[in-house]
Amino acid sequence: MDRTPANDTWFQGKAARSIHEDQLKKVELFNGRAAMIGFVIGVITEGLTGQGILHQIGLGPLVDGYATCSVQMLPFCF
């Protein structure tokens, strides 16, 4: 087996990329699951309280102002 520095560098780079890709897959899987749980909790809370998800996170006045805006003046509502 050839033990040249160039061969070692290539192997180390390949191993580092493989480890990084594995970690990235795990992190993205966790983020996706957390987002799904958050969305389900928001929908359940909406069903229990009657307030939409935007109201729950504090954007209710913005949504209410948009809903009461005149359709003729739609671009100038905000």
Side-chain angles (χ1 to χ4, degrees):
M1 182 171 158
D2 187 19
R3 298 288 302 170
T4 62
N7 194 15
D8 286 344
T9 303
W10 175 84
F11 181 73
Q12 289 173 354
K14 184 80 170 167
R17 275 191 300 276
S18 176
I19 291 170
H20 177 71
E21 288 175 2
D22 186 46
Q23 290 174 342
L24 187 61
K25 286 177 186 177
K26 289 179 182 178
V27 167
E28 288 298 323
L29 185 63
F30 177 79
N31 285 343
R33 289 177 178 169
M36 287 185 276
I37 289 171
F39 183 76
V40 168
I41 290 171
V43 170
I44 290 171
T45 306
E46 181 177 352
L48 294 173
T49 64
Q51 292 184 342
I53 292 176
L54 293 177
H55 283 83
Q56 294 173 27
I57 62 173
L59 296 177
L62 179 68
V63 174
D64 293 339
Y66 183 77
T68 60
C69 186
S70 173
V71 176
Q72 295 172 348
M73 302 295 283
L74 198 58
F76 304 104
C77 288
F78 299 104

